[in-house]
Amino acid sequence: MEITLTIDDQSVKFKSSGAVPKRYKMQFGRDFFKDLIGMGIVNKDYSDLHENDQLEAIKQIDFDMFYDIAWTLAKTADEKIPDPMTWLDSFETFPIVDIVAELQDILAATISSKKN
């Protein structure tokens, strides 16, 4: 699965593939699935929550970890993406709250089964 988001007036591709967990582990030394599930953002519908409840739900997210996951998905889509700090520095703003919601489907696809 692949999506393109506009971040700080830049088109950024994010892609899920079988290599994502390995790329994440190689870069950050942590287990992708444990981190993803531990953050509790997959399949959580923030749009149905009232604004105060959205803020409370978002406070539970480990944003450092989410930046790492976002970088891994971007790197999977584009091998030319530089290291995480250089990549993040290329954005004047990186609206993580908006990006969490946008990346939920692609993150859910990484842990779901196609088995019937």
Side-chain angles (χ1 to χ4, degrees):
M1 178 177 195
E2 185 172 311
I3 63 171
T4 302
L5 301 177
T6 301
I7 303 171
D8 194 33
D9 296 325
Q10 299 178 47
S11 289
V12 181
K13 289 183 183 179
F14 295 91
K15 181 178 178 183
S16 175
S17 78
V20 165
K22 294 292 282 179
R23 181 172 285 114
Y24 183 82
K25 179 118 180 167
M26 288 172 52
Q27 179 68 35
F28 302 107
R30 296 189 314 267
D31 183 275
F32 175 79
F33 294 111
K34 284 182 185 176
D35 287 354
L36 184 61
I37 292 168
M39 287 192 332
I41 61 170
V42 176
N43 294 330
K44 195 174 260 187
D45 189 357
Y46 295 100
S47 63
D48 285 346
L49 299 175
H50 295 297
E51 188 173 332
N52 288 340
D53 294 331
Q54 284 179 346
L55 292 173
E56 286 304 313
I58 289 169
K59 284 180 186 177
Q60 304 304 313
I61 297 170
D62 181 333
F63 287 105
D64 286 334
M65 203 175 294
F66 186 79
Y67 283 120
D68 296 347
I69 290 171
W71 176 87
T72 303
L73 295 171
K75 182 73 169 181
T76 301
D78 182 357
E79 280 291 321
K80 296 178 209 153
I81 297 285
D83 66 273
M85 289 300 290
T86 303
W87 181 67
L88 288 168
D89 275 341
S90 72
F91 302 99
E92 189 172 315
T93 61
F94 196 88
I96 194 114
V97 173
D98 297 333
I99 294 166
V100 166
E102 294 288 341
L103 290 182
Q104 280 186 305
D105 288 340
I106 199 168
L107 291 173
T110 64
I111 62 171
S112 65
S113 171
K114 291 185 179 183
K115 190 176 178 180
N116 292 330

